[in-house]
Amino acid sequence: MVKHARLNSTAMALQQQTSPYPHWLFTDASSGDQIRLVPERGGLLSGWCCGGNEIVYLDEARFLDPSQSIRGGAPVLFPICGNLPNDQLPLADGRIATLKQHGFARTMPWQISALDDGRGVRLELSDTPATLLDFPFAFLLQLDYRLAPGALEVTATLHNRASQALPFSFGIHPYFNVSGLGDLQFEGMPEECLNHKLMAPGATSEQLQQLGQGIDLLVRPSADVALVDKAAARRLRMELSSPWNLAVFWTDPPRPMVCIEPWTGPRQSLISGDGKLELAAGASQVLQCRYVVESI
């Protein structure tokens, strides 16, 4: 069940809406920027309006059909990013966790409340009897979205409530509007990437030339990465911080969007150990990233 926003002065900026679909709308009083959230649909951030422009892509018709997977917004990837062989994860104690692609967080109902600082919202997800059957770890995951001038700040905090170490990867899968797939530029990209389609190394520049055919690549940037859309006169910059410092780029032609995703590790990292995170019993882990919209 979705927890209602607290009825205090900071919560007044968070209002429940019914159109164009049921959601919660947070509005920044100083800038007028807004974010839309649908906690019962996997804690989905479904929209971000910045400077009067809708930055986040959402296939609304598909979203309104519960029989179809969501294409748009910012699905949450936890406790894995990507997939596992046969959907199985061997655990240290000999047990097997069963996890479908990108984990279960994006399909579960979350709770929502206004942040005490008045700048955004907090989404919360905790273990249930169903998750414990497939992933035997008690946890609390908090996901904060804050609006700043021209920016969206994301903070994820995972609390391990289990009596043993909790292995995990974390990411979000945001879709961003673009004017088209034919005339985009990318900044801060390393020369080499991991082609997720082949699970093999590749040349980043060659992959980025195939936006119109569909790409799925991971890079390990040394600093910020950015998408430059000259036709929209906009640069979208993603600021990363360790250990949430890998970037995945994905397109689904002919949709006019590009996914720019922060991940903690590549596909199957909990098996390979590459980027695997393990949280000690009773410990917490904070992850942060930031999206900035700039006019060009």
Side-chain angles (χ1 to χ4, degrees), residues 35-267:
I35 50 175
R36 301 176 188 267
L37 303 113
V38 190
E40 64 273 14
R41 296 286 296 274
L44 185 75
L45 182 143
S46 62
W48 171 28
C49 183
C50 181
N53 298 307
E54 182 52 60
I55 307 301
V56 167
Y57 170 91
L58 179 68
D59 183 334
E60 191 174 310
R62 187 179 176 111
F63 176 80
L64 293 172
D65 182 352
S67 68
Q68 298 194 67
S69 59
I70 294 172
R71 286 289 184 268
V76 181
L77 314 183
F78 174 82
I80 58 169
C81 298
N83 59 354
L84 296 166
N86 300 315
D87 296 334
Q88 294 189 332
L89 173 65
L91 300 175
D93 60 6
R95 291 178 294 177
I96 301 292
T98 301
L99 296 166
K100 294 184 178 180
Q101 176 156 299
H102 295 322
F104 49 72
R106 63 184 180 142
T107 62
M108 295 183 64
W110 293 55
Q111 295 183 335
I112 188 171
S113 60
L115 290 170
D116 290 335
D117 61 14
R119 294 180 48 209
V121 300
R122 169 166 291 177
L123 295 159
E124 291 189 338
L125 179 71
S126 57
D127 58 276
T128 68
T131 67
L132 290 171
L133 284 175
D134 293 333
F135 185 68
F137 300 93
F139 69 90
L140 171 65
L141 177 59
Q142 298 169 317
L143 183 58
D144 296 350
Y145 288 108
R146 284 181 170 86
L147 289 172
L152 177 65
E153 300 173 350
V154 188
T155 302
T157 307
L158 177 63
H159 306 271
N160 183 5
R161 294 174 166 176
S163 58
Q164 67 270 26
L166 186 160
F168 76 101
S169 293
F170 184 81
I172 55 174
H173 195 307
Y175 293 63
F176 295 106
N177 284 311
V178 294
S179 57
L181 296 175
D183 189 25
L184 301 175
Q185 297 179 356
F186 297 84
E187 298 175 345
M189 303 289 280
E191 293 183 0
E192 298 294 321
C193 70
L194 175 65
N195 181 345
H196 269 162
K197 291 185 175 183
L198 302 176
M199 289 301 291
T204 306
S205 60
E206 293 179 3
Q207 290 296 306
L208 293 178
Q209 292 173 7
Q210 302 178 36
L211 295 179
Q213 289 74 51
I215 64 167
D216 185 356
L217 64 90
L218 177 143
V219 295
R220 303 171 188 266
S222 58
D224 303 345
V225 295
L227 167 67
V228 179
D229 187 344
K230 289 187 176 180
R234 183 166 65 229
R235 174 188 287 105
L236 177 65
R237 181 160 44 90
M238 182 170 69
E239 300 175 351
L240 299 166
S241 59
S242 181
W244 202 10
N245 56 359
L246 304 185
V248 171
F249 293 78
W250 186 77
T251 61
D252 184 27
R255 299 179 187 277
M257 65 80 195
V258 176
C259 290
I260 310 174
E261 314 169 31
W263 287 21
T264 59
R267 288 179 180 270

Side-chain angles (χ1 to χ4, degrees), residues 24 27 29 33 43 100 103 129 151 160 165 213 288:
W24 289 86
T27 304
D33 290 352
K100 294 184 178 180
N160 183 5
Q213 289 74 51
Q288 294 180 311

